[in-house]
Amino acid sequence: MRFYTALCQQQEELLVSLDGGKTLYLMKDLGHDYQDMNQLIASITKQEMDDLAIKAIFAVPAEEYRLLAPIPRPRQDVICLGINYDEHAVEADRFSPDAFGGQRPYTIYFSKRVSYSPGPEGEVPAYEGLVDSLDYEAELAVILGRDALNVSREEALDYVFGYTIVNDISARNLQTRHKQWYLGKSLDGFTPTGPCIVTPDELGDCHNLAISCSVNDEKRQDSNTRYMIQTVEGAISELSQGMTLQAGTIIATGTPAGVGMGMTPPCFLKAGDKVTCRIEKIGSLTNYIV
Ligand code: MG
């Protein structure tokens, strides 16, 4: 099952697909008039999801909607894992040993402010004059379906509502200059997500998905989620020890090698570039630098 947020006749609407994204139905036509995706995630039951197929009759033609980020306005900052793929650790250390080097016996967690997430085909500002090293990071994002507190690794995946793609856009000059990564990751438009939320039953093993990123159709990142250092269940469990992760929480699980700062010489994004992140079984997320 795939859940979408889209603009239909100037209204923000929730849609669902029961056939891998080929046909979309308005949730309100299926008897579910949620205010937004945050409310859907916190409210919908397993039984209600199972029953959606019974009422799915009148599909919405593709020309009648434009996809937005599945959660355009996250309730809280997005939680991110840093340096969670070995080869990315090597390239980051090469770019700035001071910022990214050293031993890391424990997972790096940080967050990014997301007032509004650009969706598929959405724009990312280049912030020329402020940012001289704009970079992309294709990542698998996990969305929690219920509040998680002190969850064991064994139970952790039971808390997952679904998965989407996030491009963890980063201003390397701000990220390294300020030591804390928060500012360099949190400018408006820096967290595109989409195209949909895929439920775990449809996605299968979240640690066996091809993940890639292309800039102007040139492939830069090409890896698999099996190479994550900290796993999805490990991150949920560790983060939830003493901290309640609310339903709707988005966790970005880190990016593989191939980002712009890892190239020799580094090669950053500029206005006019097209960036496409792809994850197997979820789809693709294309954004434009403006
Ligand atoms: Mg990242």
Side-chain angles (χ1 to χ4, degrees):
M1 192 168 299
R2 289 164 185 257
F3 289 98
Y4 301 79
T5 298
L7 214 53
C8 303
Q9 297 173 343
Q10 308 306 317
Q11 289 264 47
E12 203 173 293
E13 303 279 5
L14 301 174
L15 297 101
V16 65
S17 177
L18 310 171
D19 60 2
K22 292 191 224 24
T23 318
L24 273 61
Y25 300 91
L26 278 169
M27 285 297 289
K28 66 182 183 190
D29 287 351
L30 309 185
H32 294 279
D33 202 3
Y34 299 110
Q35 187 185 338
D36 58 20
M37 190 69 81
N38 287 316
Q39 196 191 31
L40 181 153
I41 289 168
S43 309
I44 197 165
T45 65
K46 175 81 174 65
Q47 187 62 52
E48 286 171 332
M49 286 167 71
D50 290 344
D51 290 345
L52 289 174
I54 299 168
K55 298 174 189 166
I57 298 168
F58 298 108
V60 185
E63 60 272 18
E64 289 185 15
Y65 60 83
R66 180 171 66 80
L67 293 183
L68 303 173
I71 305 176
R73 293 167 300 278
R75 279 189 172 147
Q76 295 179 296
D77 287 2
V78 170
I79 300 174
C80 303
L81 277 66
I83 314 288
N84 200 34
Y85 288 76
D86 278 326
E87 290 179 6
H88 176 58
V90 173
E91 67 178 2
D93 184 18
R94 187 169 63 232
F95 177 73
S96 175
D98 184 41
F100 300 111
Q103 295 295 310
R104 280 178 296 273
Y106 298 100
T107 305
I108 296 172
Y109 298 110
F110 64 97
S111 69
K112 45 196 293 172
R113 173 62 49 96
V114 188
S115 299
Y116 186 79
S117 170
E121 307 292 318
E123 296 180 340
V124 176
Y127 296 104
E128 285 165 14
L130 175 65
V131 176
D132 65 7
S133 41
L134 190 71
D135 214 346
Y136 50 86
E137 296 188 352
E139 305 193 14
L140 176 70
V142 184
I143 296 147
L144 300 189
R146 55 197 173 103
D147 292 359
L149 178 64
N150 301 330
V151 172
S152 69
R153 290 176 71 99
E154 292 70 30
E155 299 170 310
L157 293 183
D158 297 341
Y159 288 76
V160 174
F161 179 80
Y163 299 87
T164 192
I165 304 168
V166 59
N167 189 345
D168 176 19
I169 298 279
S170 307
R172 300 301 183 197
N173 59 323
L174 301 181
Q175 182 184 0
T176 54
R177 183 175 77 191
H178 291 268
K179 301 295 181 188
Q180 288 279 340
W181 299 358
Y182 190 72
L183 176 62
K185 299 270 191 176
S186 296
L187 305 191
D188 289 353
F190 269 20
T191 311
T193 52
C196 57
I197 300 172
V198 183
T199 52
D201 57 324
E202 181 161 330
L203 185 103
D205 181 4
C206 65
H207 295 112
N208 187 23
L209 303 170
I211 178 169
S212 67
C213 182
S214 300
V215 178
N216 302 327
D217 300 318
E218 176 200 341
K219 194 172 271 190
R220 298 277 187 84
Q221 296 185 283
D222 190 9
S223 187
N224 191 290
T225 58
R226 76 169 69 98
Y227 299 118
M228 280 182 203
I229 298 168
Q230 174 62 284
T231 59
V232 170
E233 55 268 38
I236 294 171
S237 175
E238 189 163 72
L239 285 163
S240 75
Q241 301 307 309
M243 173 167 70
T244 303
L245 305 173
Q246 295 180 1
T249 290
I250 302 171
I251 302 171
T253 56
T255 200
V259 298
M261 72 172 171
M263 298 177 73
T264 312
C267 183
F268 296 110
L269 297 169
K270 58 187 184 313
D273 285 346
K274 177 178 87 166
V275 188
T276 301
C277 301
R278 287 191 178 82
I279 298 182
E280 185 180 3
K281 297 188 181 174
I282 300 177
S284 66
L285 172 67
T286 292
N287 297 98
Y288 297 92
I289 311 301
V290 298

